[in-house]
Amino acid sequence: MKNTVRELRGEHGWSQAEMAERLDVSRQTVNAIETGKYDPSLPLAFKIAALFGRPIESIFDPGE
Amino acid sequence: MPRFSEKAYRRRVWQAMTAYVGCMLLLWPQLHVVSGPVLKVALALLPVVPMLYLISLMWRRVRHSDELQQRTHLVALGVATMVVSALSLGAGFLAAAQVLVLRGDILIWVFPVILVCYDLTRWWVGRRYGVMGTCEEASRFPVYLRLLLAAAAIALGALAFRHQLGEHQFDAFLGVACVVAAAGVLAALVRWRSRQHHDGDAL
């Protein structure tokens, strides 16, 4: 699944560590999500969407 | 949920392991001189106490992890359980068929083998998610150095208490020191590879 988490984080000027703290996850988890190696659970995806104030489908794209 | 930091976990694991090695070096050899079944049972089971503490730490660590960490922990625990079960089953049948002679004290090695399998699998699963190392890598006293120092301490302790230990126990301690040293070398390699892969990932 593709996502725009890295771009949105960059827009907000947060480091991975700062974003991880806001989401109450580890920095490694943020990195795995950004690189597309890990697809977050629905609750975490909603948390990310709420953090950026955007609808979930504008951040996560299921692709093919 | 308050997070259980890797640093706090590692520190407590080292405390538990120090207590365990201390029990094995200082108190366990007294089993030969102690009389009375109650005291003997208490002394024999003493090293189990720090290991139970270690299990409780592992439980806390998994419980306070985030979802990706929980996934890697649980996959690693599952794989470790399956590997040790398969080994135990195979060895048990070989012993039952009298192809292999096994002493009862081999059961002491079940837990360490689970831990080694767990750590190796966690590292392997972590690679898939690009989580090859931990934040601990930034520590001034990294894990590989601690493992190498622990190996040296166990080997020196075994040498210092050689006369109190039986021949079998002395060999077991040297074996543990070698395994810990090997784990230290492995941790150093993982750290080196991880740094190569993740440079510039943080921002």
Side-chain angles (χ1 to χ4, degrees):
Chain A
M1 191 159 65
K2 291 175 184 173
N3 68 72
T4 55
V5 172
R6 188 182 289 262
E7 291 77 16
L8 290 169
R9 179 174 62 78
E11 282 174 18
H12 285 76
W14 296 331
S15 67
Q16 284 185 342
E18 282 172 326
M19 187 176 158
E21 202 175 329
R22 288 166 192 267
L23 292 169
D24 194 27
V25 297
S26 65
R27 189 193 67 76
Q28 287 85 358
T29 299
V30 170
N31 185 56
I33 293 169
E34 285 187 355
T35 51
K37 288 176 178 166
Y38 174 65
D39 295 332
S41 67
L42 204 51
L44 182 55
F46 272 112
K47 219 169 168 181
I48 292 169
L51 185 68
F52 293 126
R54 290 175 180 241
I56 199 165
E57 63 271 19
S58 73
I59 301 174
F60 295 97
D61 175 15
E64 292 173 8
Chain B
M1 192 191 310
R3 299 187 66 75
F4 187 33
S5 76
E6 190 71 14
K7 195 175 173 183
Y9 170 77
R10 298 271 176 201
R11 190 178 62 243
R12 289 172 194 183
V13 165
W14 284 106
Q15 288 167 354
M17 293 311 291
T18 305
Y20 177 74
V21 173
C23 282
M24 292 303 289
L25 280 173
L26 300 171
L27 300 173
W28 230 67
Q30 307 302 320
L31 264 177
H32 304 294
V33 289
V34 164
S35 57
V38 176
L39 199 57
K40 206 155 188 143
V41 167
L43 205 55
L45 290 178
L46 202 59
V48 178
V49 177
M51 290 300 102
L52 289 177
Y53 177 60
L54 186 64
I55 290 169
S56 76
L57 286 176
M58 289 173 74
W59 164 247
R60 271 191 69 188
R61 184 195 202 192
V62 172
R63 198 166 153 254
H64 291 189
S65 295
D66 67 35
E67 58 184 53
L68 177 57
Q69 291 171 326
Q70 278 188 351
R71 178 182 290 207
T72 56
H73 286 309
L74 296 178
V75 168
L77 283 171
V79 169
T81 307
M82 283 191 291
V83 167
V84 175
S85 302
L87 287 175
S88 306
L89 196 64
F93 276 116
L94 288 174
Q98 295 181 336
V99 176
L100 191 68
V101 179
L102 293 175
R103 291 166 42 138
D105 58 7
I106 199 168
L107 290 173
I108 290 173
W109 291 96
V110 169
F111 187 57
V113 173
I114 286 181
L115 287 183
V116 170
C117 290
Y118 162 74
D119 259 344
L120 285 175
T121 313
R122 206 167 65 85
W123 171 75
W124 185 258
V125 174
R127 282 183 62 194
R128 187 180 155 196
Y129 298 112
V131 189
M132 286 175 69
T134 65
C135 293
E136 201 66 9
E137 285 165 5
S139 165
R140 280 183 296 177
F141 196 33
V143 172
Y144 80 91
L145 203 54
R146 293 181 203 196
L147 285 168
L148 292 175
L149 282 174
I154 293 168
L156 287 173
L159 286 169
F161 291 93
R162 186 172 190 167
H163 299 298
Q164 286 188 50
L165 298 169
E167 193 180 333
H168 181 65
Q169 286 175 326
F170 177 72
D171 290 345
F173 270 109
L174 285 189
V176 169
C178 289
V179 170
V180 175
V185 172
L186 188 68
L189 284 172
V190 169
R191 179 184 160 94
W192 176 69
R193 289 273 319 260
S194 168
R195 286 197 161 182
Q196 280 196 330
H197 278 79
H198 291 277
D199 270 355
D201 250 358
L203 194 70

XYZ file of all heavy atoms in Angstrom, chain B residues 12-29 43-54 105 107-112 115 154 172-173 176 180:
350
model
N 17.281 -3.893 32.885
C 16.722 -4.895 33.807
C 17.122 -6.317 33.418
O 17.298 -7.170 34.276
C 15.202 -4.744 33.865
C 14.840 -3.476 34.604
C 13.385 -3.166 34.536
N 13.155 -1.806 34.964
C 11.967 -1.254 35.062
N 10.898 -1.956 34.765
N 11.820 -0.023 35.464
N 17.236 -6.538 32.101
C 17.682 -7.866 31.647
C 19.104 -8.130 32.168
O 19.401 -9.220 32.659
C 17.642 -7.962 30.103
C 18.428 -9.166 29.626
C 16.203 -8.073 29.631
N 19.951 -7.111 32.080
C 21.330 -7.295 32.564
C 21.350 -7.551 34.066
O 22.147 -8.344 34.557
C 22.193 -6.083 32.207
C 22.561 -6.088 30.762
C 22.067 -5.293 29.778
C 23.484 -6.993 30.116
N 22.605 -5.642 28.568
C 23.475 -6.657 28.737
C 24.299 -8.026 30.553
C 24.253 -7.349 27.800
C 25.065 -8.702 29.618
C 25.051 -8.362 28.273
N 20.461 -6.857 34.799
C 20.390 -7.100 36.244
C 19.978 -8.551 36.513
O 20.562 -9.234 37.363
C 19.392 -6.131 36.889
C 19.915 -4.705 36.944
C 18.824 -3.701 37.286
O 17.648 -4.034 37.375
N 19.223 -2.455 37.473
N 18.961 -9.009 35.776
C 18.481 -10.386 35.966
C 19.577 -11.390 35.617
O 19.786 -12.376 36.336
C 17.238 -10.634 35.104
N 20.290 -11.131 34.517
C 21.330 -12.060 34.088
C 22.501 -12.073 35.082
O 23.098 -13.117 35.336
C 21.835 -11.695 32.689
C 20.811 -11.893 31.585
S 19.998 -13.498 31.611
C 21.328 -14.569 31.142
N 22.807 -10.889 35.645
C 23.875 -10.817 36.654
C 23.484 -11.639 37.880
O 24.304 -12.393 38.431
C 24.128 -9.347 37.051
O 24.396 -8.609 35.860
C 25.322 -9.217 37.986
N 22.213 -11.489 38.290
C 21.727 -12.259 39.441
C 21.800 -13.761 39.146
O 22.197 -14.565 39.992
C 20.291 -11.847 39.782
N 21.435 -14.118 37.919
C 21.444 -15.530 37.526
C 22.860 -16.101 37.567
O 23.097 -17.156 38.168
C 20.852 -15.649 36.115
C 20.867 -17.046 35.556
C 19.974 -18.008 36.008
C 21.774 -17.412 34.556
C 19.985 -19.290 35.492
C 21.793 -18.691 34.038
C 20.897 -19.628 34.504
O 20.916 -20.893 33.995
N 23.787 -15.382 36.929
C 25.174 -15.868 36.906
C 25.741 -15.904 38.328
O 26.453 -16.842 38.706
C 26.038 -14.986 35.969
C 27.508 -15.350 36.066
C 25.567 -15.136 34.538
N 25.378 -14.892 39.127
C 25.828 -14.854 40.527
C 25.335 -16.079 41.294
O 26.099 -16.717 42.037
N 24.052 -16.410 41.112
C 23.473 -17.599 41.760
C 24.231 -18.852 41.337
O 24.566 -19.705 42.166
C 22.009 -17.777 41.350
S 20.880 -16.697 42.195
N 24.473 -18.947 40.037
C 25.109 -20.157 39.511
C 26.555 -20.294 39.973
O 27.038 -21.397 40.232
C 25.059 -20.158 37.970
C 23.674 -20.312 37.397
S 22.835 -21.803 37.940
C 23.746 -23.068 37.079
N 27.242 -19.155 40.081
C 28.659 -19.220 40.464
C 28.854 -19.341 41.973
O 29.716 -20.080 42.441
C 29.393 -17.967 39.963
C 29.800 -17.950 38.490
C 30.359 -16.593 38.119
C 30.817 -19.042 38.194
N 28.046 -18.586 42.727
C 28.298 -18.499 44.166
C 27.464 -19.477 44.993
O 27.954 -20.047 45.968
C 28.036 -17.066 44.655
C 28.903 -15.990 43.994
C 28.420 -14.611 44.379
C 30.359 -16.181 44.403
N 26.180 -19.630 44.621
C 25.281 -20.394 45.490
C 25.064 -21.835 45.037
O 24.967 -22.734 45.857
C 23.934 -19.664 45.606
C 24.044 -18.256 46.200
C 22.711 -17.541 46.134
C 24.501 -18.342 47.655
N 24.991 -22.016 43.735
C 24.685 -23.362 43.256
C 25.738 -24.407 43.645
O 25.389 -25.537 43.984
C 24.472 -23.348 41.733
C 23.207 -24.043 41.364
C 21.941 -23.652 41.632
C 23.115 -25.289 40.675
N 21.048 -24.565 41.145
C 21.739 -25.579 40.547
C 24.035 -26.186 40.153
C 21.277 -26.727 39.922
C 23.567 -27.326 39.522
C 22.204 -27.587 39.417
N 27.021 -24.039 43.621
C 28.032 -25.030 44.030
C 27.858 -25.503 45.474
O 28.363 -26.558 45.852
C 29.357 -24.275 43.858
C 29.068 -23.248 42.822
C 27.662 -22.831 43.075
N 17.706 -24.066 47.144
C 18.969 -23.669 46.516
C 18.986 -24.066 45.034
O 19.457 -23.306 44.184
C 20.128 -24.338 47.251
C 21.488 -23.650 47.179
C 21.408 -22.213 47.639
C 22.507 -24.417 48.009
N 18.456 -25.246 44.741
C 18.443 -25.721 43.339
C 17.557 -24.825 42.474
O 17.857 -24.591 41.308
C 17.954 -27.164 43.287
N 16.456 -24.317 43.072
C 15.518 -23.507 42.284
C 15.849 -22.019 42.289
O 15.202 -21.233 41.586
C 14.089 -23.713 42.798
C 13.474 -25.087 42.511
C 12.076 -25.178 43.110
C 13.410 -25.370 41.016
N 16.856 -21.635 43.078
C 17.195 -20.214 43.191
C 17.467 -19.548 41.834
O 16.974 -18.439 41.578
C 18.403 -20.053 44.126
C 18.557 -18.678 44.769
C 17.335 -18.308 45.589
C 19.800 -18.655 45.640
N 18.226 -20.172 40.914
C 18.476 -19.513 39.621
C 17.217 -19.303 38.779
O 17.225 -18.518 37.835
C 19.434 -20.484 38.900
C 20.012 -21.333 39.966
C 18.960 -21.447 41.013
N 16.135 -20.014 39.147
C 14.889 -19.856 38.383
C 14.265 -18.480 38.652
O 13.610 -17.902 37.776
C 13.882 -20.981 38.744
C 12.565 -20.802 38.009
C 14.474 -22.342 38.422
N 14.531 -17.934 39.859
C 13.901 -16.660 40.239
C 14.260 -15.531 39.259
O 13.361 -14.873 38.713
C 14.251 -16.283 41.701
C 13.665 -14.924 42.067
C 13.739 -17.362 42.650
N 15.570 -15.274 39.004
C 15.869 -14.219 38.020
C 15.329 -14.525 36.627
O 14.987 -13.615 35.871
C 17.402 -14.135 38.004
C 17.909 -15.283 38.768
C 16.806 -15.786 39.624
N 15.209 -15.815 36.296
C 14.664 -16.163 34.974
C 13.159 -15.877 34.911
O 12.645 -15.450 33.880
C 14.937 -17.639 34.649
C 16.384 -17.947 34.387
S 17.077 -17.013 32.987
C 17.997 -15.732 33.806
N 12.459 -16.086 36.032
C 11.027 -15.733 36.063
C 10.859 -14.217 35.924
O 9.941 -13.731 35.256
C 10.388 -16.218 37.374
C 10.209 -17.732 37.495
C 9.642 -18.088 38.869
C 9.282 -18.268 36.417
N 11.790 -13.485 36.552
C 11.771 -12.023 36.422
C 11.993 -11.629 34.956
O 11.325 -10.735 34.428
C 12.851 -11.424 37.326
C 12.992 -9.927 37.223
C 11.922 -9.082 37.515
C 14.195 -9.346 36.833
C 12.048 -7.706 37.412
C 14.329 -7.978 36.735
C 13.252 -7.165 37.019
O 13.379 -5.797 36.914
N 12.908 -12.349 34.295
C 13.190 -12.088 32.885
C 11.941 -12.342 32.024
O 11.622 -11.558 31.122
C 14.339 -12.989 32.419
C 14.874 -12.754 31.016
C 15.497 -11.378 30.901
C 15.916 -13.808 30.667
N 19.528 -32.845 33.112
C 19.866 -31.421 33.238
C 19.942 -30.705 31.885
O 20.179 -29.501 31.838
C 21.157 -31.212 34.039
C 22.353 -31.915 33.430
O 22.221 -32.458 32.323
O 23.424 -31.906 34.076
N 17.476 -30.070 30.271
C 16.295 -29.200 30.287
C 16.655 -27.753 30.633
O 15.938 -26.815 30.266
C 15.262 -29.724 31.297
C 14.555 -31.023 30.913
C 13.692 -31.520 32.047
C 13.700 -30.798 29.672
N 17.792 -27.575 31.330
C 18.248 -26.227 31.678
C 18.469 -25.400 30.405
O 18.315 -24.181 30.411
C 19.562 -26.308 32.503
C 19.254 -26.868 33.887
C 20.232 -24.940 32.619
C 20.488 -27.149 34.707
N 18.781 -26.079 29.308
C 19.122 -25.367 28.076
C 17.902 -24.974 27.249
O 18.037 -24.241 26.263
C 20.083 -26.223 27.230
C 21.410 -26.311 27.895
C 21.849 -27.310 28.698
C 22.442 -25.329 27.870
N 23.101 -27.021 29.171
C 23.489 -25.808 28.677
C 22.584 -24.098 27.251
C 24.663 -25.093 28.876
C 23.751 -23.380 27.451
C 24.770 -23.865 28.261
N 16.725 -25.460 27.628
C 15.529 -25.150 26.841
C 15.285 -23.635 26.782
O 15.110 -23.059 25.706
C 14.293 -25.887 27.417
C 13.007 -25.366 26.790
C 14.419 -27.383 27.175
N 15.310 -22.988 27.935
C 15.013 -21.557 27.983
C 16.062 -20.727 27.226
O 15.693 -19.861 26.405
C 14.860 -21.107 29.432
C 14.389 -19.693 29.572
C 13.192 -19.282 28.998
C 15.137 -18.764 30.271
C 12.763 -17.974 29.104
C 14.710 -17.456 30.387
C 13.522 -17.058 29.807
N 17.383 -20.974 27.463
C 18.371 -20.212 26.676
C 18.221 -20.398 25.163
O 18.372 -19.442 24.407
C 19.719 -20.765 27.159
C 19.445 -21.308 28.506
C 18.046 -21.800 28.489
N 15.464 -18.282 23.981
C 15.856 -16.866 23.926
C 16.703 -16.575 22.688
O 16.515 -15.546 22.024
C 16.632 -16.467 25.185
C 15.827 -16.339 26.466
C 16.716 -15.858 27.605
C 14.662 -15.370 26.297
N 31.773 -13.877 32.562
C 31.356 -15.259 32.868
C 32.568 -16.198 32.824
O 32.763 -17.035 33.714
C 30.266 -15.724 31.875
C 28.981 -14.928 32.104
C 29.975 -17.211 32.045
C 27.945 -15.102 31.005
N 30.150 -26.045 31.358
C 28.899 -25.372 30.971
C 29.094 -23.855 30.967
O 28.642 -23.156 30.048
C 27.778 -25.759 31.927
N 29.790 -23.325 31.990
C 30.029 -21.875 32.063
C 30.885 -21.401 30.892
O 30.619 -20.357 30.302
C 30.691 -21.496 33.388
C 29.684 -21.169 34.444
C 29.473 -22.019 35.512
C 28.922 -20.014 34.362
C 28.531 -21.729 36.481
C 27.977 -19.709 35.319
C 27.780 -20.577 36.386
N 28.700 -21.289 27.922
C 27.818 -20.113 27.935
C 28.616 -18.868 27.529
O 28.145 -18.038 26.733
C 27.182 -19.921 29.332
C 26.488 -18.570 29.433
C 26.188 -21.036 29.614
N 27.707 -16.414 24.487
C 27.484 -14.975 24.683
C 28.461 -14.168 23.827
O 28.089 -13.154 23.219
C 27.611 -14.603 26.184
C 27.507 -13.094 26.381
C 26.514 -15.292 26.989
